[in-house]
Amino acid sequence: MTEPEGGALDPQGPVSGAMADLWWLMLGLSVAVFVVVVVVLVLGLFRRRQAGEPQPGRQRPNSFGRWFVVGGVVAPLVILIVVFGATVRAMRSVPTTAPPEALVVEVVGHQFWWEVRYPDSGITLTNELHLPVGRPVNLRLTSADVIHSFWVPALAGKIDLLPDRTNTLVLQADEPGQHRSRCAEFCGLQHTKMVLTVVAEPEERFDAWVADRRG
């Protein structure tokens, strides 16, 4: 088995792609704000007195200070509006219901392993999830004991597995590959060993894998 690949900044699905775009936007804005603040601080520290500047205690209009105040109010407001709009757009890209053609997979979290069931084919796996590329997958997630958290960074966002209810997550892999998922919620002393390998493969290979498991 090849080494798992992909990550939150290497999106290989539509949902993870939208989240990565939002992250890069926020990073770019943060870097820009940091640079501007550093430049303003440097200018304030090393600005030399202009000729004819009044002595301490005497006041005169300071255009630099006015611009600093305006920038401290207007710029943050603009940035917040941009981030809010981008966040809403990213949230709208996350499906809340699965389409009819979606593959149904049931995932049960245990201390400290994953149980993966394919109800339509009668297949049950341990710590391994197979997905067909390009097809939505309707994950029905629950827990057999404590709270766990399912997260495949390269494919979708994070969602909790609760012992008293079933949560639904719709994800899709756009490219073949293997991804490693760890429980993202501390669930006990062996929490770090709760690893799930996600295998995304072309539809024909997935169908062959299902037929082989059935046989």
Side-chain angles (χ1 to χ4, degrees):
M1 183 175 291
T2 59
E3 183 69 18
E5 58 187 37
L9 300 182
D10 180 23
Q12 299 185 24
V15 174
S16 56
M19 294 181 178
D21 291 342
L22 178 60
W23 188 90
W24 284 113
L25 172 65
M26 296 176 66
L27 176 64
L29 291 174
S30 300
V31 171
V33 170
F34 177 78
V35 171
V36 170
V37 171
V38 170
V39 170
V40 170
L41 287 175
V42 171
L43 290 176
L45 289 173
F46 295 98
R47 187 166 57 104
R48 294 183 178 180
R49 289 178 177 269
Q50 300 177 358
E53 185 173 1
Q55 297 298 320
R58 300 178 62 184
Q59 297 181 351
R60 75 173 189 179
N62 191 327
S63 59
F64 181 83
R66 286 198 298 267
W67 278 109
F68 186 83
V69 172
V70 171
V73 175
V74 175
L77 181 61
V78 172
I79 292 173
L80 287 175
I81 292 175
V82 172
V83 172
F84 177 76
T87 302
V88 171
R89 185 178 64 178
M91 291 175 62
R92 293 181 63 182
S93 68
V94 179
T96 56
T97 58
E101 70 275 12
L103 173 69
V104 177
V105 181
E106 299 173 349
V107 179
V108 183
H110 299 263
Q111 290 179 308
F112 300 93
W113 58 283
W114 302 91
E115 180 183 1
V116 180
R117 307 170 185 161
Y118 296 80
D120 294 337
S121 56
I123 297 174
T124 300
L125 303 176
T126 299
N127 296 332
E128 191 171 329
L129 171 63
H130 285 250
L131 309 174
V133 171
R135 182 180 174 187
V137 178
N138 183 11
L139 293 181
R140 298 175 180 173
L141 305 114
T142 188
S143 171
D145 34 58
V146 299
I147 297 177
H148 302 282
S149 190
F150 180 90
W151 185 31
V152 186
L155 299 180
K158 190 184 304 180
I159 189 170
D160 286 345
L161 289 75
L162 307 175
D164 57 348
R165 63 174 295 175
T166 299
N167 287 332
T168 299
L169 177 67
V170 181
L171 59 80
Q172 178 178 319
D174 289 338
E175 301 177 17
Q178 295 185 20
H179 314 283
R180 178 171 295 159
S181 170
R182 296 182 182 272
C183 178
E185 181 83 19
F186 181 74
C187 55
L189 295 178
Q190 301 297 318
H191 161 73
T192 57
K193 297 182 179 180
M194 192 171 173
V195 179
L196 175 69
T197 300
V198 180
V199 181
E201 50 197 357
E203 184 104 27
E204 59 275 11
R205 291 188 58 183
F206 176 79
D207 292 340
W209 173 81
V210 171
D212 180 68
R213 296 288 301 192
R214 278 178 169 175

